[in-house]
């Protein structure tokens, strides 16, 4: 990272930024204490103010990310969101956490073709977060995460990477078992299912491509059936807006509960019968552009505009963790087909970069995407900092690495 030329110390800024990203990755083990965000945001400001002249060309992924951010900004303003809300910290912590979670992409121009050994660095990522969790959570009794789902989402990323290392060498089975234990202790069902299904999809993609496509189509069909079933029920009881599980007692869901012999079945019912239908209803108000970025939780709705092209111009601007509990449906509700399409295009660009990676690196990218996407079918994981932030830190390190022929 530091070279000596003519008795002067010359800092390799690419390596310096890469190691700051790595440090952010290891310190992202907490969603409660903002060590990683402070490090990364400081690095972003430093890069753009001090090293701006080093940018030779804007990375294509970054270009479309900035285009997407511009679209979100316009979407929010068209819905009547006061511009002062963009100076509200809670907006970035809750409704607008995509700005933070995807911020590692801003460093792409500064570390293009870096030569840091990412495969070696990620080995430590399999151990260090586990050690920190044991010390803080279990020994010192200091919670590092705001919720069990945040803890599970973070360890879903670690475990997904760990799986790829085990496929390479069985010596990584020990950290795998340790990280599996933490994931199950988190009791985050979406994270557990995400890693499990993510691995199956990766296996099918590499071994049986037909089964991969059949699996993806099957998941989509199941999702569509659940949407239809939930929306039909919600419509039959008058389309009530139910914001919490506690409010379920006011509605007869006993027949459906019998079909769901699950622990915490109330959370499943809340998503299936109320939150998802609420998201579908919002999407139907403006299928192309959505009701406005950050506006799903701004009740009561005040829809203004034309039929099928209306925005939620509510006077209330609530920044909370109330969301559809389905990332893709949430983006459809707030930003429409255009917004979700732009988001998916960013992931398409990332997948295209795997052509220039080693098979090992490409595997990591694919299992991380599969895990993130499957987790996002029951939660809002595609932007949540606990999972999406370390995801993009790893992605940035991989897509910008210099590839050897």
């Amino acid at each position: 990272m530091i070279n000596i030329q003519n008795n002067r110390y010359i800092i390799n800024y690419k390596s310096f930024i890469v190691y700051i990203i790595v440090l952010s990755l290891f310190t992202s083990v907490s969603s409660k204490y903002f060590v990683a965000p402070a490090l990364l945001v400081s690095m972003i400001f430093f890069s753009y103010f001090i090293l701006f002249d080093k940018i030779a060309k804007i990375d294509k992924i970054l270009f479309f990310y900035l285009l997407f951010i511009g679209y979100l900004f316009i979407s929010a303003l068209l819905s009547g969101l006061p511009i002062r809300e963009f100076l509200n910290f809670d907006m970035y912590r809750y409704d607008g956490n995509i700005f933070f979670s995807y911020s590692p992409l801003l460093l792409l121009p500064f570390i293009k073709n870096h030569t840091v050994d990412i495969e070696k660095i990620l080995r430590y990522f399999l151990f260090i977060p586990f050690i920190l969790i044991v010390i803080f959570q279990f020994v010192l009794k200091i919670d590092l995460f705001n919720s069990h789902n945040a803890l599970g989402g973070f360890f879903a990323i670690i475990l997904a990477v760990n799986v790829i290392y085990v496929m390479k060498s069985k010596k990584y089975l020990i950290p795998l078992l340790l990280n599996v234990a933490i994931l199950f202790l988190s009791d985050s069902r979406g994270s557990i299912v995400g890693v499990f299904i993510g691995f199956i999809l990766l296996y099918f993609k590499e071994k049986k491509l037909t089964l991969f496509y059949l699996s993806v189509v099957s998941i989509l069909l199941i999702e569509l059936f659940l949407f239809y079933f939930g929306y039909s029920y919600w419509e039959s009881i008058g389309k009530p807006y139910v914001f919490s599980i506690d409010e379920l007692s006011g509605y007869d869901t006993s027949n459906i509960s019998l079909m769901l012999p699950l622990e915490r079945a109330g959370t499943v019912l809340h998503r299936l019968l109320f939150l998802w239908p609420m998201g579908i209803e919002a999407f139907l108000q403006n299928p192309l552009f959505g009701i406005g970025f950050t506006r799903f939780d701004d009740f009561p709705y005040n829809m203004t505009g034309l039929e099928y092209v209306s925005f939620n111009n509510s006077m209330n601007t609530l920044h909370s963790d109330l969301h559809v509990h389905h990332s893709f449906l949430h983006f459809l509700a707030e930003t429409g087909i255009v917004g979700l399409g732009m988001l998916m295009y960013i992931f398409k660009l990332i997948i295209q970069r795997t052509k220039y990676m080693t098979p090992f690196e490409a595997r990591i990218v694919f299992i991380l995407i599969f895990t993130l996407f499957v987790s996002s079918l029951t939660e809002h994981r595609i932007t949540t900092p606990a999972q999406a932030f370390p995801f993009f830190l790893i992605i940035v390190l991989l897509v910008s690495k210099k590839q050897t022929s």
Side-chain angles (χ1 to χ4, degrees), residues 144-177:
L144 294 179
F145 290 90
N146 292 315
S147 69
H148 71 102
N149 279 327
L151 174 62
F154 179 74
F155 269 85
I157 295 294
I158 299 174
L159 196 55
V161 174
N162 206 154
V163 166
I164 305 305
Y165 274 88
V166 170
M167 292 172 71
K168 182 180 181 181
S169 172
K170 297 299 183 287
K171 69 181 181 181
Y172 296 104
L173 273 171
I174 292 176
L176 180 78
L177 294 174

Side-chain angles (χ1 to χ4, degrees), residues 67-264:
L67 199 64
F68 181 53
I69 290 301
Y71 174 79
L72 297 182
F73 185 76
I74 293 170
S75 171
L77 294 181
L78 285 175
S79 70
L81 186 75
I83 197 167
R84 66 175 180 274
E85 292 302 318
F86 285 93
L87 301 177
N88 187 337
F89 175 74
D90 283 341
M91 203 277 285
Y92 298 98
R93 186 171 184 178
Y94 295 108
D95 300 339
N97 54 21
I98 188 173
F99 293 115
F100 165 65
S101 297
Y102 287 46
S103 62
L105 295 175
L106 294 170
L107 290 174
L108 278 174
F110 302 102
I111 59 173
K112 185 178 180 181
N113 294 324
H114 74 80
T115 56
V116 177
D117 189 347
I118 301 304
E119 182 179 338
K120 182 179 179 180
I121 286 173
L122 287 180
R123 293 176 195 167
Y124 298 106
F125 187 55
L126 309 181
F127 293 95
I128 292 177
F130 172 82
I131 295 170
L132 291 174
I133 284 294
V134 170
I135 292 173
F136 284 93
Q137 296 272 148
F138 298 104
V139 178
L140 300 178
K141 305 297 182 183
I142 298 175
D143 289 332
L144 294 179
F145 290 90
N146 292 315
S147 69
H148 71 102
N149 279 327
L151 174 62
F154 179 74
F155 269 85
I157 295 294
I158 299 174
L159 196 55
V161 174
N162 206 154
V163 166
I164 305 305
Y165 274 88
V166 170
M167 292 172 71
K168 182 180 181 181
S169 172
K170 297 299 183 287
K171 69 181 181 181
Y172 296 104
L173 273 171
I174 292 176
L176 180 78
L177 294 174
L178 295 175
N179 289 320
V180 165
I182 295 294
L183 184 59
F184 274 89
L185 285 173
S186 75
D187 197 25
S188 176
R189 295 174 297 189
S191 303
I192 295 169
V193 172
V195 177
F196 180 69
I197 301 297
F199 172 70
I200 291 176
L201 289 174
L202 178 68
Y203 177 81
F204 285 165
K205 176 187 172 296
E206 294 188 351
K207 304 294 184 181
K208 301 179 185 294
L209 197 57
T210 303
L211 283 177
F212 172 76
Y213 288 120
L214 283 174
S215 299
V216 173
V217 171
S218 298
I219 291 171
L220 291 175
L221 290 175
I222 291 171
E223 288 285 301
L224 289 174
F225 170 76
L226 292 175
F227 287 164
Y228 175 78
F229 176 82
Y231 188 82
S232 298
Y233 171 83
W234 185 66
E235 193 175 35
S236 71
I237 59 174
K239 298 184 177 181
Y241 281 78
V242 177
F243 304 110
S244 68
I245 298 174
D246 297 333
E247 297 177 56
L248 287 179
S249 58
Y251 303 93
D252 182 14
T253 59
S254 56
N255 291 333
I256 303 172
S257 297
L258 293 175
M259 296 186 290
L260 295 169
L262 302 170
E263 184 184 357
R264 303 204 316 268

